[in-house]
Amino acid sequence: MTSSSQPQVYLTREGTELILNYGPKTPVAPSSRILVVGGGVTGLTTAWALLDAGYAVTVVSEKWASLEDRITSQIAGALWEWPPAVCGKHTNLISLDNSKRWCMTTYRGLDKLMHTLSAQEHGVRMRMANFFFEQSIHKMSGQLEKMNEIAAVHDIQGFKHDPTLVKTHAVNQDAGVVDSYRHLAPVIDTDQYLGWLRSTVIAKGGKLITARINGDLLQQEDRLLAKYGAQAIVNATGLGAYETAADHSVVPLRGALVRVINDGKRFPIVKEALCVSHDDTHGAEAEDIVFIVPRNDRTLILGGLVQPHVHTLDLTIDSPEIIRMRDRCNKFVPGLENAELDPVPFVQGLRPFRDTNVRVDREQRLKSDGTHSRIVHSYGQGGSGFTLSFGCAADVLELLSELEKSPYLERASL
């Protein structure tokens, strides 16, 4: 997409929804400036929504998406999923309830984006996502509830519960799966999408500053507001919220992906996502996840690693857990063991998880002078940053609107 066409795509908030529109948008003089801290998918999506809502926006981030030094958002599996996700850990009832609303806002937004602009521009594609189970889903209460919820949502396209799906794919018929369902889901080429998203924010007038902000934002709020000429702050720092929000419930979930070339030369082209969720009967620590997703028209990602509370990024493609992860994928799709590695064959990252729930709310601590804060938080999305991005941005808009009307914490969270 050219920079001149980017502003033709714009977001509006209608109720709790963030609606994507296409066409000329009447310019609105910025009412106030918002400082967004964090340049991942949550921060940039929020910045986009703020700009279209009439705010001036400054985004400060230590790093931006690049092919040379990928940020956490680029390493995500980025398959849209109804919560809880295959590689997610959110089981908190508040998080699940909010996430079901947030994820559908994103689904509708990305679906509209795909019908509005070419996938070659933004990197979002709608693909069939297949979920397989080693026992009848009717014997798995959590998975059955999730499937029934998906089936009941009209906007989720292509849903079908069919135990014979394994026979219609190039999947190992001896893989041990006996039940399955499928539906259409957005799949995001994270490298391409984050570049497009950053360009969109810039084209709409967003100011991007490369810098690191250390420490608790509350303790330096007035100084930051004055420095950047802002009236409020959005904290979208992901794992960094351990420090920026003094939130010690923020913990990492280490994940990794192997990337292979999906051109049909060494194995049949995989055109649909193939996933096996964790089976609780195997034990909490069992390595049983299979995550095979066509990232774009050439790259296939292989995953299924969730390591809570691991802070290091010292894995290699030859690490034992990565060998086991790839072996699970190889056994699930015959021929995959012959795959040629992508020029970037292995990536790893730390998903920003929160022990309690995804946090989208106003800062509830008072400043040192006893006055109320003008910080809104949006972090802790774990491995679901892309899935929840539009929905979380919509709630941030509402919280900022309430903050403008009243600085008091009459309704501090959603």
Side-chain angles (χ1 to χ4, degrees), residues 54-347:
Y55 293 96
V57 176
T58 299
V59 186
V60 175
S61 182
E62 181 182 14
K63 292 170 59 179
W64 308 97
S66 74
L67 298 180
E68 293 74 30
D69 186 13
R70 286 176 166 85
I71 62 174
T72 300
S73 289
Q74 288 175 275
I75 298 165
L79 167 69
W80 181 96
E81 291 186 70
W82 183 264
V86 168
C87 294
K89 286 284 186 178
H90 287 122
T91 56
N92 176 279
L93 293 179
I94 295 175
S95 258
L96 288 177
D97 186 54
N98 283 332
S99 295
K100 290 167 187 177
R101 173 171 57 85
W102 290 332
C103 78
M104 285 312 303
T105 297
T106 304
Y107 189 104
R108 287 184 281 265
L110 292 178
D111 184 47
K112 182 70 175 292
L113 180 63
M114 285 180 285
H115 284 89
T116 302
L117 300 173
S118 167
Q120 301 303 319
E121 299 186 46
H122 48 66
V124 183
R125 295 164 176 83
M126 189 71 83
R127 298 192 187 276
M128 193 64 73
N130 302 269
F131 299 88
F132 299 94
F133 306 91
E134 295 180 357
Q135 57 181 312
S136 169
I137 199 168
H138 293 284
K139 296 180 181 179
M140 308 169 72
S141 59
Q143 294 292 352
L144 178 62
E145 180 182 7
K146 177 177 176 177
M147 183 187 75
N148 288 336
E149 288 174 347
I150 292 170
V153 179
H154 174 73
D155 287 340
I156 299 179
Q157 305 162 40
F159 172 81
K160 182 179 182 181
H161 174 213
D162 183 356
T164 69
L165 286 177
V166 66
K167 296 177 179 171
T168 64
H169 290 84
V171 169
N172 183 357
Q173 300 301 297
D174 298 320
V177 295
V178 300
D179 210 346
S180 48
Y181 66 82
R182 72 182 189 190
H183 61 77
L184 286 168
V187 176
I188 298 97
D189 183 334
T190 56
D191 292 338
Q192 189 171 1
Y193 182 73
L194 286 167
W196 176 86
L197 191 56
R198 181 182 177 187
S199 296
T200 298
V201 169
I202 293 172
K204 290 175 177 291
K207 184 178 181 181
L208 274 55
I209 297 175
T210 303
R212 177 178 175 85
I213 297 178
N214 296 301
D216 187 349
L217 297 180
L218 181 69
Q219 303 304 318
Q220 51 190 319
E221 180 178 338
D222 290 342
R223 181 177 63 80
L224 290 172
L225 291 174
K227 179 177 180 179
Y228 294 102
Q231 283 68 54
I233 299 172
V234 175
N235 178 18
T237 55
L239 196 60
Y242 184 95
E243 178 183 349
T244 59
D247 185 348
H248 293 174
S249 72
V250 176
V251 296
L253 289 180
R254 185 165 70 172
L257 298 171
V258 172
R259 296 161 54 103
V260 300
I261 295 175
N262 188 28
D263 59 4
K265 293 181 179 179
R266 298 195 180 186
F267 61 92
I269 293 178
V270 178
K271 297 181 179 180
E272 301 184 5
L274 309 170
C275 306
V276 179
S277 298
H278 172 65
D279 187 337
D280 290 335
T281 63
H282 294 168
E285 302 304 319
E287 295 179 343
D288 56 359
I289 297 172
V290 173
F291 189 81
I292 303 172
V293 179
R295 168 60 46 96
N296 49 42
D297 293 335
R298 179 177 170 83
T299 306
L300 186 71
I301 59 172
L302 314 177
L305 186 69
V306 180
Q307 296 181 321
H309 302 277
V310 179
H311 293 77
T312 57
L313 291 174
D314 55 3
L315 295 171
T316 72
I317 199 168
D318 297 317
S319 294
E321 54 264 72
I322 302 304
I323 292 173
R324 294 193 297 269
M325 180 185 79
R326 185 172 181 187
D327 188 52
R328 292 195 302 273
C329 295
N330 290 347
K331 289 178 179 178
F332 199 71
V333 176
L336 200 54
E337 68 276 8
N338 301 318
E340 179 184 354
L341 292 173
D342 184 77
V344 181
F346 176 73
V347 292

Side-chain angles (χ1 to χ4, degrees), residues 3-36:
S3 60
S4 61
S5 67
Q6 285 169 344
Q8 298 294 307
V9 182
Y10 65 95
L11 300 170
T12 55
R13 185 168 65 88
E14 300 177 16
T16 61
E17 280 282 297
L18 198 60
I19 308 296
L20 187 138
N21 308 272
Y22 181 78
K25 183 179 183 295
T26 304
V28 178
S31 56
S32 57
R33 180 169 293 277
I34 306 298
L35 170 63
V36 177

